[in-house]
Amino acid sequence: MEQLTFYRDTWIEIDLDSIYNNVKNICKHVPENTEVIAVVKANGYGHGALQVAEEALTAGASSLAVAFMDEALALRHRGITAPILVLGITRPQDVDLAVSHDITLTACSAEWLHAAKQHKKTKRPVCLHVKLDTGMGRIGIREMGELKEFISCLDEGIFDVEGVYTHFATADELDTSYFEEQYQTFRTMLAWIEAEGIQPRKVHCANSATLLRFKDKLFNAVRSGIIMYGLTPSVEMNSLIPIEKKPAFSLHSRIAHIKKISKGDTVGYGATYQAEAEEWIGTIPIGYADGWLRKLQDFSVLVNGKRVPVVGRICMDQCMIRLTEKVPVGTLVTLIGKQGDTEVSAEEVASYLETINYEVVCLFSSRVPRVYIQKGAVVEIVNHLAP
Ligand SMILES: Cc1ncc(COP(=O)(O)O)c(C=O)c1O
């Protein structure tokens, strides 16, 4: 367990019990014997890949998925032994590295299989999940001809096709017609594969939206991302979440400096904010270099359970807020999360930034320490700036 500290009053809190309970609820929700693959790419959606992986595996997930090889290796080097699937395309020259670290790769072209064969020196087969592009238009096999050629290159002993999967483009939208089309295409393609004599042991198509909404379409594994973090897959789905979930992520700072300004005084670069009367202005040590983007000017944060506005332009490392009264230096400011019954959610930040909650939690840079909480106590601090 890393026990470090940090010296700037800005931090992200990750409530590990929320991750644990969310994963437990996902496991209970999906049909029996459905494998839950915890998606921990992008540093566990900004929450910390290792910590989320450990919690998810303890709660009932049986494997992990990441975006690329380095993310998988980072988990292996930190002691994770559960199966890890790389969802993106890996360079064919890195297949031996994958084999030696027990990392499962995604494959989706005959060309890749040919190249991988050239580079493979180790005896053990490369564990593969075949990606089918049923309409996402990102990576995957799309046509019968392509699939036939792919299958003809699957030399036994070199490749082990453990899984087949696809990814939906619109599972989180109210109109399910495109989802249904993709689902039917996946079934047809699966039938082709099976007709060629390949019997994948794992078949998966579900992201969070799919596993929550289409319980009868899950095959034998699901890839759970955003819902595991306690966040909703889309605004449209807000009222369609059949399980209990709680966000694990919150962002906090403290008042570093406070001053009274007079009517007409200005605040920040460009002097864009001008006080209309006598006002208390607090400065907090968080700025756009941390992920608190300039576009969040005029958004609100919580102080003593009340919303107060961010005033003036947000600087690289600091920003200013207008307080209703003088408060002591060191007063807690919550930028994402709850104070009492008042909440600023990642969804609200996303809406203000005209983006999605996924992007919000991924925004915060490694210079913001992550504080891990379990049963109300700090169990770990990760500060990437620590020597
Ligand atoms: C291939 C794939 N599977 C699963 C997921 C998890 O999706 P979600 O976070 O919506 O559950 C992602 C996320 O982007 C993905 O790219």
Side-chain angles (χ1 to χ4, degrees), residues 37 39 41 45 65 87-88 131 136 138-139 165-168 172 204-211 222-229 232-233 358:
I37 305 169
V39 181
K41 62 191 175 127
Y45 291 37
L87 297 166
K131 181 78 183 280
M136 173 72 185
R138 193 166 59 181
I139 59 170
Y165 74 108
T166 195
H167 192 56
F168 293 117
D172 60 350
H204 44 110
C205 66
N207 55 359
S208 296
T210 312
L211 78 89
V222 296
R223 303 184 304 275
S224 174
I226 201 82
I227 192 66
M228 179 171 74
Y229 301 96
T232 37
Y358 293 68

Side-chain angles (χ1 to χ4, degrees), residues 44 67-68 77 82 109 117 156 159 219 231 243 255 287 362 365:
F68 50 87
H77 290 141
S109 76
K117 259 187 251 181
E156 248 179 72
F159 302 111
F219 301 92
L231 301 170
I243 63 168
I255 305 272
C362 288
S365 67

Side-chain angles (χ1 to χ4, degrees), residues 16-310:
L16 293 173
D17 296 326
S18 295
I19 304 272
Y20 180 89
N21 291 329
N22 296 337
V23 174
K24 272 254 165 226
N25 292 340
I26 295 162
C27 293
K28 262 190 252 160
H29 168 80
V30 296
E32 231 185 316
N33 300 321
T34 305
E35 172 178 330
V36 173
I37 305 169
V39 181
V40 295
K41 62 191 175 127
N43 193 29
Y45 291 37
H47 294 62
L50 175 68
Q51 293 77 5
V52 173
E54 284 174 340
E55 212 54 41
L57 292 166
T58 310
S62 31
S63 63
L64 306 168
V66 296
F68 50 87
M69 180 72 104
D70 305 73
E71 291 187 331
L73 290 173
L75 290 171
R76 281 284 178 265
H77 290 141
R78 287 173 174 80
I80 296 288
T81 55
I84 304 177
L85 167 65
V86 172
L87 297 166
I89 294 174
T90 301
R91 298 185 303 211
Q93 58 266 43
D94 295 331
V95 281
D96 272 344
L97 190 64
V99 172
S100 61
H101 288 87
D102 257 327
I103 292 166
T104 306
L105 300 181
T106 290
C108 56
S109 76
E111 200 187 336
W112 187 90
L113 291 180
H114 275 304
K117 259 187 251 181
Q118 307 304 314
H119 290 284
K120 192 162 173 310
K121 307 270 182 300
T122 49
K123 280 211 177 100
R124 276 172 53 213
V126 194
C127 185
L128 297 181
H129 283 212
V130 181
K131 181 78 183 280
L132 304 178
D133 181 5
T134 54
M136 173 72 185
R138 193 166 59 181
I139 59 170
I141 298 169
R142 293 168 74 89
E143 306 287 344
M144 183 58 178
E146 262 181 274
L147 185 61
K148 280 210 157 133
E149 196 193 343
F150 180 89
I151 289 172
S152 69
C153 298
L154 279 175
D155 306 28
E156 248 179 72
I158 298 187
F159 302 111
D160 169 27
V161 176
E162 179 190 63
V164 175
Y165 74 108
T166 195
H167 192 56
F168 293 117
T170 62
D172 60 350
E173 292 179 12
L174 295 185
D175 180 349
T176 59
S177 50
Y178 193 67
F179 168 86
E180 293 291 347
E181 254 181 64
Q182 273 198 264
Y183 176 72
Q184 289 311 334
T185 307
F186 186 50
R187 290 188 57 136
T188 309
M189 292 179 89
L190 262 182
W192 295 346
I193 290 178
E194 282 165 11
E196 294 289 330
I198 294 171
Q199 294 291 341
R201 304 186 289 286
K202 296 185 189 181
V203 177
H204 44 110
C205 66
N207 55 359
S208 296
T210 312
L211 78 89
L212 292 167
R213 295 176 74 190
F214 306 101
K215 246 173 123 165
D216 56 333
K217 295 187 167 65
L218 304 186
F219 301 92
N220 64 0
V222 296
R223 303 184 304 275
S224 174
I226 201 82
I227 192 66
M228 179 171 74
Y229 301 96
L231 301 170
T232 37
S234 68
V235 175
E236 290 96 312
M237 276 193 62
N238 272 347
S239 58
L240 297 174
I241 307 291
I243 63 168
E244 270 200 35
K245 50 108 182 127
K246 198 172 153 210
F249 184 104
S250 58
L251 173 66
H252 310 271
S253 189
R254 289 188 189 279
I255 305 272
H257 181 74
I258 181 158
K259 61 185 170 284
K260 193 196 262 180
I261 63 170
S262 308
K263 180 175 179 187
D265 286 352
T266 64
V267 172
Y269 284 121
T272 57
Y273 177 77
Q274 192 166 36
E276 286 177 359
E278 216 170 60
E279 289 173 357
W280 285 103
I281 299 292
T283 300
I284 53 174
I286 182 168
Y288 61 77
D290 300 299
W292 191 247
L293 303 184
R294 289 176 90 240
K295 217 178 153 191
L296 288 163
Q297 181 170 347
D298 299 329
F299 188 63
S300 30
V301 297
L302 303 177
V303 177
N304 289 332
K306 288 194 219 101
R307 285 170 178 266
V308 297
V310 175

